[in-house]
Amino acid sequence: MNECIDHIGYVVKKLDESIKFYNKNYRFVQITKKITEPAHGVELVFVGNPKYFTVFELITPSSNKSKVYNFLKKNGEGFHHIAFQVDNIENSIKKYLKNGSIQLCEIVLGAGHNNAKTVWLYTKKKQLVELIEKQKNKIFNKRFSKMIVKE
């Protein structure tokens, strides 16, 4: 079963300020437009450094009913989850469940992932994991095809 890191999720207070911060401090550039994800009550944007194939998903709650609102209120800005790209989401879920993880939701089509199948799990190590099914005939991390590296 093939898995690779797709992105690392960070919860932030304000997307625009965070985009500027990651650009100034880590030379990350904005990869996607701002995306509204109604299923989770969040707005998000992907930023990254194409030189190192590093991608962060910056997430902010769109209301106090958002799934990350309480996270932000309790913990402040910071690491939220790690996302893996997988070949077959159903097989990957079975593997995670067999290893003691808990499936937190049904498989949904992720707005931030070109409507690829996604699912959330919580591992025995208290990690929040997002699985994203690799789309057939799609280049790995297509987001980088539009990025420009500024040295």
Side-chain angles (χ1 to χ4, degrees):
M1 181 169 326
N2 294 327
E3 289 185 356
C4 61
I5 294 175
D6 184 83
H7 68 270
I8 297 170
Y10 276 80
V11 173
V12 299
K13 291 179 184 174
K14 296 182 180 179
L15 288 179
D16 290 333
E17 288 178 14
S18 296
I19 292 166
K20 289 176 187 172
F21 173 84
Y22 282 97
N23 179 263
K24 180 180 178 183
N25 291 285
Y26 303 109
R27 302 176 86 183
F28 282 19
V29 295
Q30 186 174 339
I31 303 169
T32 65
K33 63 180 170 104
K34 291 178 188 171
I35 300 165
T36 300
E37 179 67 83
H40 301 294
V42 298
E43 291 181 342
L44 60 99
V45 66
F46 287 92
V47 298
N49 184 324
K51 185 174 180 181
Y52 301 107
F53 292 97
T54 305
V55 177
F56 284 5
E57 177 185 31
L58 304 178
I59 312 154
T60 193
S62 54
S63 76
N64 61 1
K65 294 183 183 194
S66 166
K67 295 190 178 198
V68 297
Y69 176 81
N70 286 333
F71 176 94
L72 185 59
K73 189 175 175 181
K74 179 180 176 183
N75 304 304
E77 295 185 317
F79 172 77
H80 183 257
H81 70 274
I82 188 162
F84 293 97
Q85 197 174 99
V86 298
D87 290 331
N88 182 294
I89 201 162
E90 288 85 3
N91 289 343
S92 295
I93 291 169
K94 288 176 189 174
K95 181 191 93 170
Y96 275 84
L97 295 177
K98 183 178 178 182
N99 290 329
S101 295
I102 300 166
Q103 185 174 342
L104 300 176
C105 63
E106 296 298 317
I107 296 170
V108 297
L109 301 180
H113 306 292
N114 299 317
N115 292 317
K117 292 179 183 178
T118 63
V119 70
W120 291 86
L121 301 140
Y122 192 70
T123 72
K124 287 188 345 182
K125 297 275 188 180
K126 298 182 180 179
Q127 300 163 322
L128 186 57
V129 172
E130 179 183 19
L131 301 181
I132 305 161
E133 187 168 85
K134 183 177 178 183
Q135 295 175 314
K136 306 289 186 245
N137 302 319
K138 296 275 182 174
I139 300 168
F140 169 72
N141 233 325
K142 185 179 176 184
R143 293 182 278 258
F144 285 115
S145 65
K146 296 179 182 176
M147 294 178 65
I148 300 169
V149 181
K150 295 179 182 176
E151 292 296 331

